[in-house]
Amino acid sequence: MPTPSMEDYLERIYKLIDEKGYARVSDIAEGLEVHPSSVTKMIQKLDKDEYLIYEKYRGLVLTSKGKKVGKRLVDRHQLLEEFLSLIGVQQEHIYKDVEGIEHHLSWDSITRIETLVEYFRRDEARVQTLYDIHQELANES
Ligand code: CO
């Protein structure tokens, strides 16, 4: 399994290729707020572990393993954003909070959260009940 840091890179690279068709070192560095030399180092590691193939002139291509893992990580990020948004977390906190927790949850927890999101999706009234309880607790304190 990739380390949390490798996960961040794979997630970013998958998203860039998905959205723009390619992933440049400068775009990866900017998105992760790291120095381009760190990106180059990590790309070499990801290449060695067969998540991608890096060629100086052709650029960076994800292997099928890299695509599979990358998609899983992007989906996980989206699910957690949806979850926090659903339970009423303010938009301004969501991205940072997801970045903080996504690498530290087991897939067991992730699939349970997925089920919980589905539980709320199936009946809007459940979301309203949740907000009502939140309001009630907030008023008590
Ligand atoms: Co993420």
Side-chain angles (χ1 to χ4, degrees):
M1 277 313 285
T3 63
S5 171
M6 287 163 80
E7 287 191 345
D8 270 334
Y9 279 85
L10 274 173
E11 187 188 338
R12 170 63 40 191
I13 291 166
Y14 184 90
K15 237 183 148 200
L16 281 168
I17 292 177
D18 195 41
E19 284 165 6
K20 304 170 69 170
Y22 56 88
R24 285 188 311 216
V25 169
S26 56
D27 294 328
I28 300 167
E30 199 190 323
L32 294 172
E33 296 176 345
V34 294
H35 198 268
S37 65
S38 312
V39 176
T40 309
K41 234 190 235 162
M42 182 56 89
I43 284 174
Q44 283 161 359
K45 187 167 166 42
L46 290 167
D47 185 313
K48 193 172 143 277
D49 288 355
E50 296 173 342
Y51 289 105
L52 55 82
I53 297 162
Y54 185 63
E55 285 167 10
K56 205 169 178 191
Y57 298 104
R58 278 188 51 218
L60 187 163
V61 184
L62 287 173
T63 61
S64 60
K65 173 181 162 184
K67 278 184 204 157
K68 200 176 138 205
V69 174
K71 182 175 189 315
R72 226 174 155 213
L73 299 174
V74 169
D75 289 349
R76 180 180 68 184
H77 183 104
Q78 276 166 0
L79 169 73
L80 291 172
E81 280 202 8
E82 196 183 346
F83 170 61
L84 294 186
S85 172
L86 184 78
I87 62 173
V89 175
Q90 283 174 40
Q91 215 54 41
E92 64 196 277
H93 299 141
I94 288 181
Y95 183 78
K96 221 174 157 231
D97 283 1
V98 169
E99 285 303 308
I101 60 174
E102 62 186 341
H103 307 298
H104 306 286
L105 295 172
S106 63
W107 288 98
D108 183 20
S109 291
I110 297 292
T111 52
R112 294 293 173 169
I113 289 171
E114 202 172 7
T115 309
L116 186 61
V117 168
E118 182 59 22
Y119 170 81
F120 284 114
R121 257 202 217 123
R122 287 189 186 188
D123 186 354
E124 274 295 305
R126 290 169 177 164
V127 179
Q128 195 49 56
T129 306
L130 184 74
Y131 295 167
D132 291 346
I133 294 172
H134 176 76
Q135 207 47 54
E136 188 189 312
L137 295 177
N139 290 341
E140 273 172 24
S141 55

Coordinates of all heavy atoms in Angstrom, one line a residue, residues 12-92:
R12 N -3.5 13.6 -6.5 CA -3.4 14.8 -7.3 C -3.1 14.5 -8.7 O -3.7 15.1 -9.6 CB -2.2 15.6 -6.7 CG -1.7 16.8 -7.4 CD -2.7 17.9 -7.6 NE -3.5 18.2 -6.5 CZ -4.6 18.9 -6.5 NH1 -5.0 19.5 -7.6 NH2 -5.3 19.1 -5.4
I13 N -2.2 13.6 -9.0 CA -1.8 13.2 -10.4 C -3.1 12.6 -11.1 O -3.3 13.0 -12.3 CB -0.7 12.2 -10.4 CG1 0.6 12.8 -9.9 CG2 -0.5 11.6 -11.8 CD1 1.7 11.9 -9.5
Y14 N -3.8 11.8 -10.5 CA -5.0 11.2 -11.1 C -6.0 12.3 -11.5 O -6.5 12.3 -12.6 CB -5.7 10.2 -10.2 CG -6.8 9.5 -10.8 CD1 -6.7 8.3 -11.5 CD2 -8.1 10.0 -10.8 CE1 -7.7 7.7 -12.2 CE2 -9.2 9.4 -11.4 CZ -9.0 8.2 -12.1 OH -10.0 7.6 -12.7
K15 N -6.2 13.2 -10.6 CA -7.1 14.3 -10.8 C -6.7 15.2 -11.9 O -7.5 15.6 -12.8 CB -7.3 15.1 -9.5 CG -8.7 15.2 -9.1 CD -9.0 16.0 -7.9 CE -10.4 16.6 -8.1 NZ -10.7 17.7 -7.3
L16 N -5.4 15.6 -12.0 CA -4.9 16.4 -13.0 C -5.0 15.7 -14.4 O -5.5 16.4 -15.4 CB -3.4 16.7 -12.8 CG -3.0 17.8 -11.8 CD1 -1.5 17.8 -11.4 CD2 -3.4 19.2 -12.3
I17 N -4.7 14.5 -14.5 CA -4.8 13.7 -15.8 C -6.3 13.6 -16.2 O -6.6 13.8 -17.3 CB -4.1 12.4 -15.7 CG1 -2.6 12.5 -15.6 CG2 -4.5 11.5 -16.9 CD1 -1.8 11.3 -15.4
D18 N -7.1 13.4 -15.2 CA -8.6 13.3 -15.4 C -9.1 14.6 -16.0 O -9.9 14.6 -16.9 CB -9.2 12.9 -14.1 CG -10.7 12.4 -14.4 OD1 -10.9 11.7 -15.4 OD2 -11.6 12.8 -13.6
E19 N -8.7 15.7 -15.4 CA -9.2 17.0 -15.8 C -8.5 17.6 -17.0 O -9.2 18.3 -17.8 CB -9.1 18.0 -14.6 CG -10.2 17.7 -13.5 CD -9.9 18.4 -12.2 OE1 -8.9 19.1 -12.1 OE2 -10.6 18.1 -11.2
K20 N -7.2 17.5 -17.1 CA -6.5 18.2 -18.1 C -5.8 17.3 -19.2 O -5.4 17.7 -20.2 CB -5.3 19.1 -17.5 CG -5.8 20.0 -16.5 CD -4.7 20.7 -15.7 CE -3.9 21.6 -16.6 NZ -2.9 22.4 -15.7
G21 N -5.8 16.0 -18.9 CA -5.2 15.1 -19.8 C -3.7 14.8 -19.6 O -3.1 13.9 -20.2
Y22 N -3.1 15.6 -18.7 CA -1.7 15.4 -18.4 C -1.4 16.0 -17.0 O -2.2 16.8 -16.5 CB -0.8 16.1 -19.4 CG -1.1 17.6 -19.6 CD1 -0.5 18.5 -18.8 CD2 -2.0 18.1 -20.5 CE1 -0.8 19.9 -18.9 CE2 -2.3 19.4 -20.6 CZ -1.7 20.3 -19.8 OH -2.0 21.6 -19.9
A23 N -0.3 15.6 -16.4 CA 0.1 16.1 -15.1 C 1.6 16.6 -15.2 O 2.5 15.8 -15.4 CB 0.0 15.0 -14.1
R24 N 1.7 17.9 -15.1 CA 3.1 18.4 -15.1 C 3.6 18.6 -13.7 O 2.8 18.8 -12.7 CB 3.1 19.8 -15.7 CG 3.0 19.8 -17.2 CD 3.2 21.1 -17.8 NE 2.4 22.1 -17.1 CZ 1.8 23.2 -17.7 NH1 1.9 23.4 -18.9 NH2 1.1 24.0 -16.9
V25 N 5.0 18.5 -13.5 CA 5.6 18.6 -12.2 C 5.2 19.9 -11.5 O 4.8 20.0 -10.4 CB 7.1 18.5 -12.3 CG1 7.8 18.9 -11.0 CG2 7.5 17.1 -12.7
S26 N 5.1 21.0 -12.3 CA 4.8 22.3 -11.8 C 3.4 22.3 -11.2 O 3.1 22.9 -10.2 CB 5.0 23.4 -12.8 OG 4.2 23.1 -13.9
D27 N 2.4 21.7 -11.9 CA 1.0 21.6 -11.5 C 0.9 20.8 -10.2 O 0.1 21.1 -9.3 CB 0.1 21.0 -12.5 CG 0.0 22.0 -13.7 OD1 0.1 23.2 -13.6 OD2 -0.1 21.4 -14.9
I28 N 1.6 19.7 -10.2 CA 1.6 18.8 -9.0 C 2.1 19.6 -7.8 O 1.6 19.6 -6.7 CB 2.4 17.5 -9.2 CG1 1.9 16.7 -10.4 CG2 2.4 16.6 -7.9 CD1 2.8 15.6 -10.9
A29 N 3.3 20.2 -8.0 CA 3.9 21.0 -6.9 C 3.0 22.1 -6.4 O 2.8 22.3 -5.1 CB 5.2 21.6 -7.4
E30 N 2.3 22.8 -7.3 CA 1.4 23.9 -6.9 C 0.3 23.3 -6.1 O -0.1 23.9 -5.0 CB 0.9 24.6 -8.1 CG 0.4 26.0 -7.9 CD -0.3 26.5 -9.1 OE1 0.2 26.3 -10.2 OE2 -1.4 27.2 -8.9
G31 N -0.4 22.2 -6.6 CA -1.5 21.7 -5.9 C -1.2 21.2 -4.5 O -2.0 21.3 -3.6
L32 N 0.0 20.6 -4.3 CA 0.3 20.1 -3.0 C 1.2 21.0 -2.1 O 1.5 20.7 -1.0 CB 1.1 18.8 -3.2 CG 0.3 17.6 -3.8 CD1 1.3 16.4 -4.2 CD2 -0.8 17.1 -2.9
E33 N 1.4 22.2 -2.7 CA 2.2 23.2 -2.0 C 3.6 22.7 -1.6 O 4.0 22.8 -0.4 CB 1.4 23.8 -0.8 CG 0.2 24.5 -1.3 CD -0.7 25.1 -0.1 OE1 -0.5 24.6 1.0 OE2 -1.5 25.9 -0.4
V34 N 4.3 22.0 -2.5 CA 5.6 21.5 -2.2 C 6.6 22.0 -3.3 O 6.2 22.5 -4.3 CB 5.6 20.0 -2.2 CG1 4.8 19.4 -1.0 CG2 5.1 19.4 -3.5
H35 N 7.8 21.8 -3.0 CA 8.9 22.2 -4.0 C 9.0 21.2 -5.2 O 8.8 20.0 -4.9 CB 10.2 22.3 -3.3 CG 11.2 23.1 -4.0 ND1 12.1 22.5 -4.9 CD2 11.5 24.4 -4.0 CE1 12.9 23.5 -5.4 NE2 12.5 24.6 -4.9
P36 N 9.1 21.7 -6.4 CA 9.2 20.8 -7.5 C 10.2 19.7 -7.4 O 10.0 18.6 -7.9 CB 9.7 21.8 -8.7 CG 9.1 23.1 -8.3 CD 9.2 23.2 -6.8
S37 N 11.3 19.9 -6.6 CA 12.3 18.9 -6.4 C 11.8 17.7 -5.6 O 12.1 16.6 -5.8 CB 13.6 19.4 -5.8 OG 13.3 19.9 -4.5
S38 N 10.8 18.0 -4.7 CA 10.2 17.0 -3.9 C 9.3 16.2 -4.8 O 9.1 14.9 -4.7 CB 9.3 17.5 -2.8 OG 10.0 18.5 -2.1
V39 N 8.6 16.8 -5.8 CA 7.8 16.2 -6.7 C 8.6 15.2 -7.6 O 8.2 14.0 -7.7 CB 7.0 17.2 -7.7 CG1 6.2 16.4 -8.7 CG2 6.1 18.1 -6.8
T40 N 9.7 15.6 -8.1 CA 10.6 14.8 -8.9 C 11.0 13.5 -8.1 O 10.9 12.4 -8.6 CB 11.8 15.6 -9.4 OG1 11.4 16.8 -10.0 CG2 12.6 14.8 -10.4
K41 N 11.3 13.7 -6.9 CA 11.7 12.6 -6.0 C 10.6 11.6 -5.9 O 10.8 10.4 -6.0 CB 12.1 13.1 -4.6 CG 13.5 12.7 -4.2 CD 13.8 13.1 -2.8 CE 15.0 13.9 -2.6 NZ 15.0 14.6 -1.3
M42 N 9.4 12.1 -5.6 CA 8.3 11.2 -5.4 C 7.9 10.5 -6.7 O 7.5 9.3 -6.6 CB 7.1 12.0 -4.8 CG 5.9 11.2 -4.5 SD 6.2 9.8 -3.4 CE 5.9 10.6 -1.8
I43 N 8.0 11.2 -7.8 CA 7.7 10.6 -9.1 C 8.6 9.4 -9.3 O 8.1 8.4 -9.8 CB 7.8 11.6 -10.2 CG1 6.5 12.6 -10.2 CG2 7.8 10.9 -11.6 CD1 6.6 13.7 -11.2
Q44 N 9.8 9.6 -8.9 CA 10.8 8.4 -9.1 C 10.4 7.3 -8.2 O 10.5 6.1 -8.6 CB 12.2 8.9 -8.8 CG 12.8 9.7 -9.9 CD 14.0 10.6 -9.5 OE1 14.4 10.6 -8.3 NE2 14.6 11.3 -10.4
K45 N 9.9 7.6 -7.0 CA 9.5 6.5 -6.1 C 8.2 5.8 -6.7 O 8.1 4.6 -6.6 CB 9.2 7.1 -4.7 CG 8.9 6.0 -3.7 CD 9.0 6.6 -2.3 CE 8.4 5.7 -1.2 NZ 8.8 4.3 -1.4
L46 N 7.3 6.6 -7.1 CA 6.0 6.0 -7.7 C 6.3 5.2 -9.0 O 5.7 4.2 -9.2 CB 5.0 7.2 -8.0 CG 4.4 7.9 -6.7 CD1 3.7 9.1 -7.1 CD2 3.5 6.9 -6.0
D47 N 7.3 5.7 -9.7 CA 7.7 4.9 -10.9 C 8.3 3.6 -10.5 O 7.9 2.5 -11.0 CB 8.7 5.8 -11.7 CG 9.2 5.1 -13.0 OD1 9.5 3.9 -13.0 OD2 9.2 5.8 -14.0
K48 N 9.2 3.6 -9.5 CA 9.8 2.4 -9.0 C 8.8 1.4 -8.5 O 8.9 0.2 -8.7 CB 10.8 2.8 -7.9 CG 11.8 1.7 -7.5 CD 12.8 2.2 -6.5 CE 13.2 1.2 -5.5 NZ 12.3 1.1 -4.3
D49 N 7.8 1.9 -7.8 CA 6.7 1.0 -7.3 C 5.6 0.7 -8.3 O 4.5 0.2 -8.0 CB 6.1 1.7 -6.0 CG 7.0 1.7 -4.8 OD1 8.1 1.1 -4.9 OD2 6.6 2.2 -3.8
E50 N 5.9 1.1 -9.5 CA 5.0 0.8 -10.7 C 3.6 1.4 -10.6 O 2.6 0.8 -11.1 CB 4.9 -0.8 -10.8 CG 6.2 -1.4 -11.2 CD 6.3 -2.9 -11.2 OE1 5.4 -3.5 -10.6 OE2 7.2 -3.4 -11.8
Y51 N 3.5 2.6 -10.1 CA 2.2 3.3 -10.1 C 2.2 4.2 -11.4 O 1.1 4.5 -11.9 CB 2.1 4.2 -8.9 CG 1.8 3.5 -7.6 CD1 2.8 3.3 -6.7 CD2 0.5 2.9 -7.4 CE1 2.5 2.6 -5.5 CE2 0.3 2.2 -6.2 CZ 1.3 2.0 -5.3 OH 1.1 1.3 -4.1
L52 N 3.3 4.5 -11.9 CA 3.4 5.4 -13.1 C 4.7 5.1 -13.8 O 5.6 4.5 -13.3 CB 3.2 6.8 -12.7 CG 4.2 7.5 -11.7 CD1 5.5 7.9 -12.3 CD2 3.5 8.7 -11.1
I53 N 4.7 5.6 -15.1 CA 5.9 5.6 -15.9 C 6.3 7.0 -16.2 O 5.5 7.8 -16.7 CB 5.7 4.8 -17.2 CG1 5.3 3.3 -16.8 CG2 6.9 4.8 -18.0 CD1 4.7 2.5 -17.9
Y54 N 7.5 7.3 -15.9 CA 8.0 8.7 -16.1 C 9.1 8.7 -17.2 O 10.1 8.1 -17.0 CB 8.5 9.4 -14.8 CG 8.9 10.8 -15.0 CD1 7.9 11.7 -15.4 CD2 10.2 11.2 -14.8 CE1 8.2 13.1 -15.6 CE2 10.5 12.5 -15.0 CZ 9.5 13.5 -15.4 OH 9.9 14.8 -15.6
E55 N 8.8 9.4 -18.3 CA 9.8 9.6 -19.3 C 10.1 11.0 -19.5 O 9.1 11.8 -19.6 CB 9.3 8.9 -20.6 CG 9.4 7.4 -20.6 CD 8.6 6.8 -21.7 OE1 8.2 7.5 -22.7 OE2 8.4 5.5 -21.7
K56 N 11.3 11.4 -19.6 CA 11.7 12.8 -19.6 C 10.9 13.6 -20.6 O 10.5 14.7 -20.4 CB 13.2 12.9 -19.8 CG 13.8 14.2 -19.3 CD 15.3 14.2 -19.3 CE 15.8 15.6 -18.7 NZ 17.2 15.7 -18.9
Y57 N 10.8 13.1 -21.8 CA 10.1 13.9 -22.9 C 8.7 13.6 -23.1 O 7.9 14.5 -23.5 CB 10.9 13.7 -24.2 CG 12.3 14.2 -24.0 CD1 13.4 13.4 -23.9 CD2 12.6 15.6 -24.0 CE1 14.7 13.8 -23.7 CE2 13.9 16.1 -23.8 CZ 14.9 15.2 -23.6 OH 16.2 15.7 -23.4
R58 N 8.2 12.4 -22.7 CA 6.8 12.1 -22.9 C 6.0 12.5 -21.7 O 4.8 12.6 -21.7 CB 6.6 10.6 -23.2 CG 6.8 10.3 -24.7 CD 6.5 8.8 -25.0 NE 5.1 8.5 -24.5 CZ 4.8 7.3 -24.0 NH1 5.7 6.4 -23.8 NH2 3.6 7.1 -23.6
G59 N 6.7 12.7 -20.6 CA 6.0 13.1 -19.3 C 5.6 11.8 -18.6 O 6.2 10.8 -18.6
L60 N 4.4 12.0 -17.9 CA 4.1 11.0 -16.9 C 2.8 10.3 -17.2 O 1.8 10.9 -17.5 CB 3.9 11.9 -15.6 CG 3.6 11.4 -14.3 CD1 3.9 12.6 -13.3 CD2 2.2 11.0 -14.1
V61 N 2.9 9.0 -17.2 CA 1.7 8.2 -17.5 C 1.4 7.2 -16.3 O 2.3 6.5 -15.9 CB 1.9 7.3 -18.8 CG1 0.7 6.6 -19.2 CG2 2.4 8.2 -19.9
L62 N 0.2 7.1 -15.9 CA -0.2 6.2 -14.8 C -0.3 4.8 -15.4 O -0.8 4.6 -16.5 CB -1.5 6.6 -14.2 CG -1.6 7.8 -13.3 CD1 -3.0 8.1 -12.9 CD2 -0.7 7.6 -12.1
T63 N 0.2 3.8 -14.7 CA 0.0 2.4 -15.1 C -1.4 2.0 -14.7 O -2.1 2.8 -14.0 CB 1.0 1.5 -14.3 OG1 0.7 1.7 -12.9 CG2 2.4 1.9 -14.5
S64 N -1.8 0.8 -15.0 CA -3.2 0.4 -14.6 C -3.3 0.3 -13.1 O -4.4 0.7 -12.6 CB -3.6 -0.9 -15.3 OG -2.8 -1.9 -14.9
K65 N -2.3 -0.1 -12.4 CA -2.3 -0.1 -11.0 C -2.4 1.3 -10.4 O -3.2 1.6 -9.5 CB -1.0 -0.7 -10.5 CG -0.7 -0.6 -9.0 CD 0.6 -1.3 -8.6 CE 1.2 -0.9 -7.3 NZ 2.5 -1.5 -7.0
G66 N -1.7 2.3 -11.0 CA -1.7 3.7 -10.6 C -3.1 4.3 -10.9 O -3.6 5.1 -10.0
K67 N -3.7 3.9 -12.0 CA -5.1 4.4 -12.3 C -6.1 3.9 -11.3 O -6.9 4.7 -10.8 CB -5.5 4.0 -13.7 CG -5.0 4.9 -14.8 CD -5.5 4.4 -16.1 CE -4.6 4.9 -17.2 NZ -4.8 4.1 -18.4
K68 N -5.9 2.6 -11.0 CA -6.9 2.0 -10.1 C -6.8 2.6 -8.7 O -7.8 3.0 -8.1 CB -6.6 0.5 -10.0 CG -7.7 -0.4 -9.5 CD -7.4 -1.8 -9.6 CE -7.9 -2.5 -8.3 NZ -7.1 -3.7 -8.0
V69 N -5.6 2.7 -8.2 CA -5.4 3.3 -6.8 C -5.8 4.8 -6.8 O -6.4 5.3 -5.9 CB -3.9 3.1 -6.3 CG1 -3.7 3.8 -5.0 CG2 -3.6 1.6 -6.2
G70 N -5.3 5.5 -7.9 CA -5.6 6.9 -8.0 C -7.1 7.2 -7.9 O -7.6 8.1 -7.2
K71 N -7.9 6.4 -8.7 CA -9.3 6.6 -8.7 C -10.0 6.4 -7.3 O -10.8 7.1 -6.9 CB -10.0 5.7 -9.8 CG -11.5 5.9 -9.9 CD -12.1 5.1 -11.0 CE -13.6 5.5 -11.2 NZ -14.4 5.6 -10.0
R72 N -9.5 5.3 -6.7 CA -10.0 5.0 -5.4 C -9.7 6.1 -4.4 O -10.6 6.5 -3.5 CB -9.2 3.7 -4.9 CG -10.1 2.7 -4.3 CD -9.3 1.5 -4.0 NE -9.9 0.7 -2.9 CZ -9.3 0.0 -2.0 NH1 -8.0 -0.1 -2.0 NH2 -10.0 -0.6 -1.0
L73 N -8.6 6.8 -4.5 CA -8.2 7.9 -3.6 C -9.1 9.1 -3.9 O -9.5 9.8 -2.9 CB -6.7 8.2 -3.7 CG -5.8 7.0 -3.4 CD1 -4.3 7.4 -3.6 CD2 -5.9 6.6 -1.9
V74 N -9.3 9.4 -5.2 CA -10.1 10.5 -5.5 C -11.6 10.3 -5.1 O -12.2 11.2 -4.5 CB -10.0 10.8 -7.1 CG1 -11.1 11.8 -7.5 CG2 -8.6 11.3 -7.4
D75 N -12.0 9.1 -5.3 CA -13.4 8.8 -4.8 C -13.5 8.9 -3.3 O -14.5 9.4 -2.8 CB -13.8 7.3 -5.3 CG -14.0 7.2 -6.8 OD1 -14.1 8.2 -7.4 OD2 -14.1 6.0 -7.2
R76 N -12.5 8.4 -2.6 CA -12.5 8.5 -1.2 C -12.6 10.0 -0.7 O -13.4 10.3 0.2 CB -11.3 7.8 -0.6 CG -11.2 7.9 0.9 CD -10.0 7.2 1.5 NE -8.8 7.9 1.1 CZ -7.6 7.5 1.4 NH1 -7.4 6.4 2.0 NH2 -6.5 8.3 1.1
H77 N -11.8 10.8 -1.4 CA -11.8 12.2 -1.0 C -13.2 12.8 -1.2 O -13.7 13.6 -0.4 CB -10.7 13.0 -1.9 CG -10.6 14.4 -1.5 ND1 -9.6 14.9 -0.7 CD2 -11.5 15.5 -1.8 CE1 -9.8 16.2 -0.6 NE2 -11.0 16.6 -1.2
Q78 N -13.8 12.5 -2.4 CA -15.1 13.1 -2.7 C -16.1 12.6 -1.7 O -17.0 13.4 -1.3 CB -15.5 12.7 -4.1 CG -14.9 13.6 -5.2 CD -15.0 13.1 -6.6 OE1 -15.5 12.0 -6.8 NE2 -14.5 13.9 -7.5
L79 N -16.1 11.3 -1.4 CA -17.0 10.8 -0.4 C -16.9 11.5 0.9 O -18.0 11.9 1.5 CB -16.8 9.3 -0.2 CG -17.5 8.7 1.0 CD1 -19.0 8.5 0.7 CD2 -16.9 7.3 1.4
L80 N -15.7 11.7 1.4 CA -15.5 12.4 2.7 C -16.0 13.9 2.6 O -16.6 14.4 3.6 CB -14.1 12.3 3.2 CG -13.7 10.9 3.6 CD1 -12.2 10.8 3.8 CD2 -14.4 10.4 4.8
E81 N -15.8 14.5 1.5 CA -16.3 15.9 1.3 C -17.8 15.9 1.4 O -18.4 16.7 2.0 CB -15.8 16.5 0.0 CG -14.4 17.0 0.0 CD -14.1 18.1 -1.0 OE1 -15.1 18.5 -1.7 OE2 -13.0 18.4 -1.2
E82 N -18.4 14.9 0.7 CA -19.9 14.8 0.7 C -20.4 14.6 2.1 O -21.4 15.2 2.5 CB -20.3 13.7 -0.3 CG -21.7 13.7 -0.7 CD -22.1 12.6 -1.6 OE1 -21.2 11.9 -2.1 OE2 -23.3 12.3 -1.7
F83 N -19.7 13.7 2.8 CA -20.1 13.3 4.2 C -20.1 14.6 5.1 O -21.1 14.9 5.7 CB -19.2 12.2 4.7 CG -19.4 12.0 6.2 CD1 -20.6 11.5 6.7 CD2 -18.3 12.1 7.0 CE1 -20.7 11.3 8.0 CE2 -18.4 11.9 8.4 CZ -19.7 11.4 8.9
L84 N -19.0 15.3 5.1 CA -18.9 16.5 6.0 C -19.9 17.5 5.6 O -20.5 18.1 6.4 CB -17.5 17.0 5.9 CG -16.4 16.1 6.5 CD1 -15.1 16.9 6.5 CD2 -16.7 15.6 7.9
S85 N -20.1 17.7 4.3 CA -21.1 18.7 3.8 C -22.5 18.3 4.2 O -23.3 19.1 4.7 CB -21.0 18.7 2.3 OG -22.0 19.5 1.8
L86 N -22.8 17.0 4.1 CA -24.1 16.5 4.5 C -24.4 16.7 5.9 O -25.5 17.0 6.3 CB -24.1 15.0 4.1 CG -25.4 14.2 4.3 CD1 -26.4 14.5 3.2 CD2 -25.2 12.7 4.4
I87 N -23.5 16.4 6.8 CA -23.7 16.6 8.2 C -23.7 18.0 8.7 O -23.8 18.3 9.9 CB -22.8 15.7 9.1 CG1 -21.3 16.0 8.9 CG2 -23.0 14.2 8.8 CD1 -20.4 15.3 9.9
G88 N -23.4 18.9 7.8 CA -23.6 20.3 8.1 C -22.3 21.1 8.4 O -22.4 22.3 8.8
V89 N -21.2 20.5 8.1 CA -19.9 21.2 8.3 C -19.8 22.4 7.3 O -20.2 22.2 6.1 CB -18.7 20.2 8.1 CG1 -17.4 21.0 8.2 CG2 -18.7 19.1 9.1
Q90 N -19.4 23.5 7.8 CA -19.3 24.7 6.9 C -18.3 24.5 5.8 O -17.2 23.9 6.0 CB -18.8 25.9 7.7 CG -20.0 26.5 8.6 CD -19.5 27.6 9.5 OE1 -18.6 28.4 9.0 NE2 -19.9 27.6 10.7
Q91 N -18.7 25.0 4.6 CA -17.9 24.8 3.4 C -16.4 25.1 3.5 O -15.6 24.4 3.0 CB -18.6 25.6 2.3 CG -18.5 25.0 0.9 CD -19.1 23.5 0.8 OE1 -20.1 23.2 1.5 NE2 -18.4 22.6 0.2
E92 N -16.2 26.2 4.2 CA -14.8 26.7 4.4 C -13.9 25.7 5.1 O -12.7 25.8 5.0 CB -14.8 28.0 5.1 CG -15.3 28.0 6.5 CD -15.7 29.3 7.1 OE1 -14.8 30.0 7.6 OE2 -16.9 29.6 7.0

